[in-house]
Amino acid sequence: MSQYLMDLLAGPTNCMCCFPGSPQLRINSRRFKLLRLLGEGGFSYVYLVQETSTSALYALKKIRCPFGQESVSLALKEVEAYALFSPHPNIIHAVDHAVESANDKSDPGSKTVYILLPYYSRGNLQDAINANLVNHTKFPERRLMVLFLGVARALKAMHQYRVKGAPGGEGARQRAKSVRAEAEEADKDAVRRAKTRRKDVDADEEDVEQEPLMNGEVTRSQEGVGDGELRAYAHRDVKPGNIMLSDSGTSPILMDLGSLAPSPTHITSRALALATQDTAAEHSTLPYRAPELFDTKTGTVIDTKTDIWSFGCTLFACLVGKSPFEMRSEETGGSLSICVLGGDWRFPDEESTASGGGRRKKTKDAKGKGKGKEDDDVADSGISDGVREVVRRCLRVEAGERPDVDEVIEMVEKVVAELPEDDGGDGERSPSRPAGSVEE
């Protein structure tokens, strides 16, 4: 709550109307009541808000854009991406957005971006993982794989996007370009304001400071790509915290497209390699980051296989409770990045085999018991062989050895078809209905 109050004081804008005990916000023509802080990170905060006219609940993302540090173009990049891939049943969409000039005399060029998003009461997969750990429960395996089928379909929409093609066609593309134009105009306005009020700033220094942070273009990367031609994108930050659960509990919703990057990226110089690593360090969460983003080499190609790696890590986390390399680095006391680069991980009931993940189950005696108390505790993790194979295929250190998204979908569909119906008994925040087709 203290951080929530500090944020209201630190970033007042023209659309913020504070009343004692009832902070309210206006976005375009709609008014909202701020209920509580849901999360924060960097320059952004996410609040639970309620529309005053309908009582509907939403998630509101507020991004402060200090001049020269966080451009509006970068902040609105995810809105641009939401528009491009909308409508898709497994990708979140932006309900509304607004850009406001901050009333900060010390930083006249600063802006505040508001992004209104759907609110999902079940939370995300990380919330479900945490609940499972607390309650000593597990995801029903078949329902979990149905959810991951939806995640794979969301990634397919990005990995195989074609200009003016599905999901939203030319209309979605034009809406995305409109967001880009709005962001660029807001950045220009920030420069004008800064020039007006900072006349004592050296012109050359100012030109450097006002350079927009154009990290990973969305619609602009389509220039020169013909209608119907492939313009692939990689999410670059697939993780449990970025996969919401629909209110029915049967569909995943992939969110936070601020890390989206055109794909493939040809690493033609050492400078580009270092820039790619720096971008990944900022936008790709460490335990789910692909090895080629830890140590990017000149002459290589970074493509959508980074998402396949993260997909495998996320599935493992849902099965075990944490990412495979978090688990392994805690077991060995070694560096997480070294574990990633060496492919050193295992399932709880397997012995580690670096550069390919665990494959040998721990040995048991004639009575089926492990050799020692530790082995008894993990003798059978209850993870089906088909599910294990999906994880193993995704976690190949060499990107070229990983399956593409079509192969992942085929593998997951096969696993779902072979798994028996779940018996129920899942935790409160786990998927709550018998498995069925992911919404199309």
Side-chain angles (χ1 to χ4, degrees):
M1 179 58 74
S2 61
Q3 180 61 58
Y4 162 78
L5 294 174
M6 287 176 63
D7 181 45
L8 293 183
L9 293 172
T13 69
N14 292 333
C15 66
M16 183 71 75
C17 305
C18 293
F19 301 99
S22 180
Q24 293 195 11
L25 181 77
R26 185 173 66 249
I27 295 183
N28 299 322
S29 60
R30 305 165 70 173
R31 285 185 175 274
F32 300 89
K33 180 179 179 181
L34 278 73
L35 301 181
R36 61 186 174 91
L37 181 68
L38 295 175
E40 61 181 287
F43 292 107
S44 66
Y45 304 84
V46 180
Y47 300 97
L48 176 63
V49 300
Q50 184 177 49
E51 188 167 16
T52 56
S53 62
T54 65
S55 298
L57 297 176
Y58 296 93
L60 178 68
K61 188 171 187 177
K62 175 182 177 180
I63 307 173
R64 296 171 58 197
C65 302
F67 182 71
Q69 298 181 56
E70 181 86 356
S71 73
V72 175
S73 294
L74 187 58
L76 280 182
K77 173 185 167 184
E78 63 178 288
V79 179
E80 183 186 0
Y82 294 150
L84 187 65
F85 298 115
S86 180
H88 190 286
N90 302 118
I91 300 176
I92 201 169
H93 67 281
V95 177
D96 203 351
H97 72 277
V99 180
E100 297 290 332
S101 297
N103 297 325
D104 186 352
K105 293 182 179 180
S106 66
D107 190 3
S110 64
K111 299 277 187 178
T112 301
V113 172
Y114 295 93
I115 305 174
L116 191 66
L117 300 165
Y119 173 66
Y120 297 100
S121 59
R122 285 179 173 267
N124 55 47
L125 278 180
Q126 187 60 58
D127 296 324
I129 289 171
N130 294 342
N132 283 340
L133 291 173
V134 169
N135 299 322
H136 303 288
T137 55
K138 292 183 178 181
F139 286 99
E141 199 171 50
R142 189 173 187 274
R143 295 182 218 182
L144 179 63
M145 296 309 292
V146 169
L147 284 175
F148 271 80
L149 182 57
V151 175
R153 288 172 175 165
L155 292 176
K156 179 174 180 174
M158 299 176 188
H159 293 185
Q160 298 180 5
Y161 176 81
R162 293 184 180 276
V163 176
K164 295 188 179 182
E170 176 61 8
R173 181 169 176 261
Q174 289 302 323
R175 288 191 293 274
K177 292 179 73 174
S178 176
V179 173
R180 165 59 60 189
E182 177 186 359
E184 290 175 348
E185 181 56 38
D187 278 330
K188 290 177 182 178
D189 179 67
V191 171
R192 287 193 293 268
R193 287 171 176 268
K195 281 185 176 181
T196 300
R197 301 189 187 184
R198 295 182 181 178
K199 292 181 179 179
D200 57 335
V201 176
D202 179 77
D204 292 336
E205 179 181 340
E206 187 173 299
D207 286 341
V208 173
E209 184 182 37
Q210 71 196 36
E211 186 70 26
L213 303 177
M214 310 301 284
N215 177 24
E217 296 288 356
V218 182
T219 52
R220 186 171 289 177
S221 68
Q222 297 177 13
E223 294 177 2
V225 182
D227 294 353
E229 292 183 1
L230 184 67
R231 169 66 281 179
Y233 296 91
H235 184 285
R236 291 278 184 94
D237 197 23
V238 177
K239 62 179 180 179
N242 281 340
I243 301 172
M244 308 301 293
L245 291 171
S246 67
D247 290 339
S248 68
T250 58
S251 295
I253 312 294
L254 188 59
M255 62 169 290
D256 198 355
L257 304 190
S259 57
L260 192 79
S263 181
T265 299
H266 296 271
I267 308 301
T268 56
S269 66
R270 182 57 181 163
L272 182 55
L274 293 174
T276 301
Q277 287 181 196
D278 290 345
T279 299
E282 183 177 355
H283 295 288
S284 303
T285 304
L286 186 67
Y288 301 90
R289 190 187 309 163
E292 58 268 30
L293 295 176
F294 279 92
D295 183 21
T296 306
K297 293 181 170 57
T298 305
T300 60
V301 176
I302 307 299
D303 59 16
T304 56
K305 297 294 184 68
T306 58
D307 287 346
I308 302 302
W309 175 279
S310 302
F311 180 95
C313 290
T314 301
L315 177 55
F316 183 99
C318 289
L319 294 166
V320 176
K322 60 181 65 176
S323 96
F325 303 101
E326 279 181 300
M327 187 184 85
R328 189 61 180 159
S329 64
E330 290 174 6
E331 288 176 344
T332 63
S335 163
L336 189 149
S337 60
I338 295 299
C339 291
V340 170
L341 292 170
D344 185 10
W345 67 277
R346 67 179 182 86
F347 285 104
D349 57 357
E350 293 179 331
E351 296 175 348
S352 175
T353 55
S355 299
R359 286 186 176 274
R360 296 195 305 272
K361 287 190 176 182
K362 291 182 180 254
T363 57
K364 300 179 182 179
D365 60 21
K367 296 182 180 180
K369 296 291 186 179
K371 296 181 179 179
K373 184 180 185 303
E374 180 183 353
D375 286 347
D376 287 345
D377 292 338
V378 297
D380 185 4
S381 65
I383 302 173
S384 301
D385 289 341
V387 176
R388 292 172 189 262
E389 187 60 22
V390 172
V391 175
R392 290 189 185 112
R393 291 283 307 279
C394 293
L395 296 186
R396 300 285 177 85
V397 173
E398 294 297 327
E401 297 179 3
R402 295 172 214 150
D404 62 24
V405 71
D406 283 329
E407 293 174 293
V408 169
I409 290 174
E410 183 179 351
M411 286 191 297
V412 175
E413 286 178 335
K414 181 180 179 181
V415 170
V416 169
E418 293 176 348
L419 287 172
E421 292 289 342
D422 297 310
D423 295 329
D426 50 319
E428 180 182 348
R429 302 188 68 87
S430 298
S432 58
R433 292 184 181 179
S437 298
V438 175
E439 297 169 9
E440 293 287 358

